[in-house]
Amino acid sequence: MSSNDLSALMAPLWAGEFRFVALDVETANRNSASISQIGLGCARPDGEVLTWSSYVDPQMDFNPFNIELTGISPDIVRGAPIFPELWAVLEPFLAQHALVQHSRFDEKAIDASCLHHGLKRPGWYWVDSVKVARKAWPELKGNGGHGLANLKTVLGLEFDHHDAGEDARASAQIVLAAQERLGVTLADLVPPPKPVQLTLDL
C-alpha cells in the first residue's frame, strides 16, 4: 500500500483530541501474530467515541473457525496493508495516548506481531476494561460475567461483536459508563500516558 493510501486511511485519527484510545484486534488463526483487523475507539473529551478500523493482510493462512467468527477471509484482506506498513503510521499516534483493551488478548497480539515482523515491541501500559467493569459492576460476577457480549446486554450497547472497530468502541463506552457509575474522574480509571524519556548520547 502506498504512503498516500496510508495517509488517507489514517486521516480521521489526526483530526481530534482524545482522552484515551481503546484498541481491539481480530486474528486469522490461533497465532496471535496473525492480525487481520485493527480497530480503535477514540474517546473525545466530550464523551463521543470516534471509531476507526482497518483490515490487515496477515500473510498467514486463515482458520475456518476464525473466518466464521469474524467474517474476515483472505479475499477481504487482499490489498490491505501488512502489519509493518500500518504500524509505521499507527504506532506514533498510539504512543501519545492512554490505551484500553478488553482483556489482554490485544496487547499480546500487538507484541506478537511486532516480534514476528522484527519490530520493537512498544512496552506500553494498557488499562484492561474487564477490570474496570469488575469495579463498576461487581454483581455480574457469576451472573453473565464481564465479557463484551454480556456487557452489551446489561449496558444496552449496540455493536457488532468480533468486528475490531465495533469492539474497540464498546470497550471505550464501557470505561466511560464505569466512570459515571463509580463517580470518579477518568484519570482514576485510565491514567494518562507517562511522557517518553529520551536518552541522549553525550
Side-chain angles (χ1 to χ4, degrees):
M1 180 171 280
S2 71
S3 58
N4 288 338
D5 289 337
L6 279 172
S7 296
L9 182 67
M10 305 299 294
L13 299 180
W14 317 142
E17 177 186 354
F18 304 112
R19 296 289 303 277
F20 66 88
V21 175
L23 182 149
D24 186 88
V25 304
E26 303 296 337
T27 56
N29 56 53
R30 296 180 65 182
N31 186 336
S32 297
S34 65
I35 293 177
S36 57
Q37 189 185 27
I38 296 178
L40 304 179
C42 307
R44 298 185 187 277
D46 63 1
E48 179 187 359
V49 179
L50 182 152
T51 304
W52 176 94
S53 68
S54 172
Y55 292 117
V56 182
D57 183 351
Q59 300 181 300
M60 296 184 189
D61 292 334
F62 278 74
N63 187 300
F65 172 82
N66 294 66
I67 294 176
E68 182 176 357
L69 182 70
T70 66
I72 303 172
S73 66
D75 288 341
I76 289 179
V77 302
R78 187 172 292 117
I82 61 174
F83 182 82
E85 292 175 334
L86 191 57
W87 194 242
V89 291
L90 193 57
E91 189 273 341
F93 169 77
L94 294 175
Q96 301 175 48
H97 296 88
L99 297 179
V100 169
Q101 61 182 326
H102 201 76
S103 83
R104 294 193 60 209
F105 176 81
D106 308 289
E107 175 187 4
K108 291 177 180 178
I110 293 294
D111 283 352
S113 292
C114 287
L115 184 62
H116 177 76
H117 291 284
L119 304 172
K120 182 179 179 180
R121 293 160 59 185
W124 296 323
Y125 174 75
W126 300 71
V127 172
D128 186 348
S129 56
V130 172
K131 294 181 179 179
V132 173
R134 287 173 181 162
K135 292 180 182 178
W137 300 279
E139 69 275 10
L140 297 182
K141 182 178 180 180
N143 186 27
H146 297 86
L148 283 179
N150 191 49
L151 288 169
K152 176 180 182 178
T153 300
V154 173
L155 301 181
L157 303 178
E158 295 184 5
F159 65 96
D160 295 325
H161 199 10
H162 297 301
D163 175 273
E166 294 277 294
D167 285 353
R169 176 166 55 86
S171 297
Q173 290 174 328
I174 287 167
V175 170
L176 294 172
Q179 176 197 4
E180 183 176 349
R181 181 178 175 89
L182 294 171
V184 299
T185 67
L186 187 59
D188 289 328
L189 298 179
V190 186
K194 295 180 179 179
V196 177
Q197 298 294 324
L198 298 179
T199 302
L200 301 179
D201 294 326
L202 301 178

